[in-house]
Amino acid sequence: MALGTAFRAFFAALLNQDVARQLKTVLDAGAKTTTPALPQAKSPEAAPAPPKTASRSDAITLLATLQREARLIDLVKENLSAYSDAQIGAAARPCLQQCATTLERVMSVQPIVTASDGSMIEVPESAGPARYQWIGEGAGTSGKLVHHGWKVDQLELPQWTGPHQDSGVIAPVQLQRV
């Protein structure tokens, strides 16, 4: 350990005159006493703060992926009142197809129940409230299937590696050089 400290002190003194003066003071004091005085440590406020760990919400990552590959946010944020239904449908079709392709790539979305709509199904006793939703009046543990529900079996979102201050960006500003 002393050898490593000596090398650090040597190169620190070689590259920084202030450090060299502090080391000289400590070494000179050590020659006069058996317990040399140590230089004052810098206050924690003077040290730069460690960079924040890059993190991003999975929801923002998914939205950014759907925007990049299907322009989903552009479609839903557009003022649709100025367009006809045919124009909206023509714009929505490719966006929805690209969204479906993207979702298939990043997550395995599966129906909760494989029965067809209108068929009678039995709700298991162990089923949680997020999995089955009762609609209308009645009682019992079976009902007519209105919607099969969706669940995610596997999720493979890209990991965020950008700076913390950009973790909320869904799509960057795009500029054309003129």
Side-chain angles (χ1 to χ4, degrees), residues 52-131:
K52 289 188 176 184
T53 305
S55 64
R56 184 186 217 183
S57 160
D58 285 346
I60 293 174
T61 299
L62 180 58
L63 281 175
T65 303
L66 290 170
Q67 172 62 21
R68 182 181 61 248
E69 297 184 20
R71 312 272 312 190
L72 175 67
I73 305 300
D74 290 345
L75 179 67
V76 299
K77 294 296 282 181
E78 182 72 28
N79 179 4
L80 300 178
S81 62
Y83 301 102
S84 70
D85 289 349
Q87 290 173 314
I88 295 170
R93 182 184 308 276
C95 177
L96 293 172
Q97 289 170 334
Q98 291 163 348
C99 283
T101 300
T102 301
L103 288 177
E104 287 173 15
R105 184 174 52 77
V106 300
M107 63 179 64
S108 174
V109 178
Q110 303 295 324
I112 295 173
V113 176
T114 56
S116 59
D117 289 355
S119 60
M120 293 297 289
I121 64 166
E122 186 74 24
V123 176
E125 285 184 32
S126 62
R131 191 169 283 261

Side-chain angles (χ1 to χ4, degrees), residues 13-38:
L14 188 65
L15 300 172
N16 188 322
Q17 289 182 350
D18 290 335
V19 172
R21 277 192 287 274
Q22 289 177 350
L23 284 171
K24 182 178 183 323
T25 302
V26 169
L27 293 173
D28 289 347
K32 296 176 187 170
T33 65
T34 56
T35 57
L38 297 176

